[in-house]
Amino acid sequence: MHGNCNRGPSAQGTLDLAGSRRYASTPVNCVYRLLRLPVDDYLAALRAALPRAGVVPVLAIVVAAAASWWIYVPIHELCHAFGCLWTGGEVTRLEIDPVYGAALLHTIFPFVSVGSDYAGQLTGFDTHGNDLTYLATDFSPFLLTVLVGVPLLRAARSQRTPLRSAIILGVALPIAFAPFTSVSGDYYEMGSILVSRAVALQSASVPLTRWRSDDVFKLAHQLFGAAGDGSCGDAAAMLAAFLVGIVLIFVTYWLGTRWSRVIGCRRHGSP
């Protein structure tokens, strides 16, 4: 802080400080800080990993991120299955791309099928009409974001060497930012579950499954393509579900920062 350190705070200065505290606690500022959290954490980790330009730390980030992604994807998909099973649902088919070890996983988990249009997709499951089971099925993989990914990302800032920071940053990236890469998939689906249930409480004629999907673009094509029968109401519901999903993404990341504090992985500069 610049200025005369010997001068005590004036009455105006006291008012300014109080005003700053009031401003800092406004809902708008709280939302702004929430939106900045993942960006600030990433940039802090990146500064620690790359204090100066260098090929080795960049390669370390890329290789660690690729390895982390390859390991994370099948675990993510299995968490969907176990989230369903552990909350009372049934699982009959989990498709995983062969590159992620689907053949080996099939020998351990019979419901795993080799091959998928995506990296992985839970295509055969039954929640028995229970939306809590459905939400648990969708959200279970992102417990890894809360418990592992965000703490790792924050821990990257405090490593002793840039290389260690780079490796930890690379490992953390796919896990910490998984909710953001799932904005049109799992998080849209979670939003659609909540929105469709809320609408169904007001109008029993609305089919619960109409807006529910783990691929918002595929759903949009089905509803609004050449053979679709989508309406303005459908578009509004899908937009609402998408926005709810975005809110859930930032809440998930925020939970990761809270857990990071509990286990002692704080972002640089945080109290």
Side-chain angles (χ1 to χ4, degrees):
M1 181 176 181
H2 299 290
N4 187 346
C5 294
N6 294 322
R7 180 167 58 85
S10 63
Q12 181 62 42
T14 302
L15 289 174
D16 288 344
L17 290 172
S20 297
R21 284 193 293 270
R22 284 196 298 271
Y23 174 74
S25 62
T26 62
V28 172
N29 195 252
C30 288
V31 171
Y32 174 70
R33 286 184 294 175
L34 177 64
L35 295 177
R36 280 195 54 170
L37 270 176
V39 176
D40 288 345
D41 287 346
Y42 169 71
L43 291 178
L46 192 63
R47 283 192 294 267
L50 298 173
R52 63 185 65 84
V55 175
V56 172
V58 170
L59 283 177
I61 293 173
V62 172
V63 171
S68 178
W69 174 261
W70 185 76
I71 295 170
Y72 172 72
V73 165
I75 294 175
H76 175 106
E77 298 305 330
L78 286 170
C79 284
H80 279 310
F82 291 129
C84 183
L85 292 169
W86 290 339
T87 53
E90 296 180 11
V91 171
T92 56
R93 185 178 180 87
L94 172 62
E95 298 177 355
I96 298 178
D97 191 280
V99 74
Y100 298 108
L104 174 61
L105 291 172
H106 175 72
T107 65
I108 304 172
F109 307 104
F111 55 76
V112 171
S113 175
V114 180
S116 175
D117 293 334
Y118 305 86
Q121 187 179 30
L122 184 62
T123 55
F125 68 103
D126 187 353
T127 65
H128 304 297
N130 189 322
D131 281 351
L132 291 179
T133 299
Y134 201 166
L135 287 169
T137 301
D138 272 330
F139 181 72
S140 291
F142 302 101
L143 289 173
L144 294 173
T145 295
V146 175
L147 301 177
V148 179
V150 176
L152 273 179
L153 183 63
R154 291 190 151 206
R157 175 61 182 86
S158 58
Q159 299 305 304
R160 294 179 180 177
T161 66
L163 182 58
R164 289 182 61 176
S165 292
I167 293 172
I168 293 175
L169 170 59
V171 171
L173 284 175
I175 311 170
F177 291 102
F180 296 92
T181 61
S182 301
V183 62
S184 63
D186 294 329
Y187 274 85
Y188 169 78
E189 189 165 34
M190 283 186 264
S192 69
I193 294 168
L194 297 174
V195 168
S196 60
R197 177 58 67 182
V199 172
L201 291 175
Q202 305 299 319
S203 175
S205 63
V206 176
L208 276 176
T209 59
R210 183 166 177 82
W211 308 313
R212 297 184 177 187
S213 174
D214 62 355
D215 187 334
V216 67
F217 299 111
K218 183 177 180 180
L219 177 63
H221 179 73
Q222 291 173 350
L223 290 178
F224 302 104
D229 61 347
S231 65
C232 291
D234 291 321
M238 289 181 63
L239 177 60
F242 191 78
L243 293 175
V244 170
I246 290 175
V247 171
L248 293 176
I249 285 172
F250 282 95
V251 170
T252 302
Y253 193 91
W254 177 80
L255 290 173
T257 65
R258 298 302 93 187
W259 175 245
S260 297
R261 287 176 178 269
V262 170
I263 64 176
C265 297
R266 297 182 177 182
R267 180 167 57 88
H268 180 68
S270 62

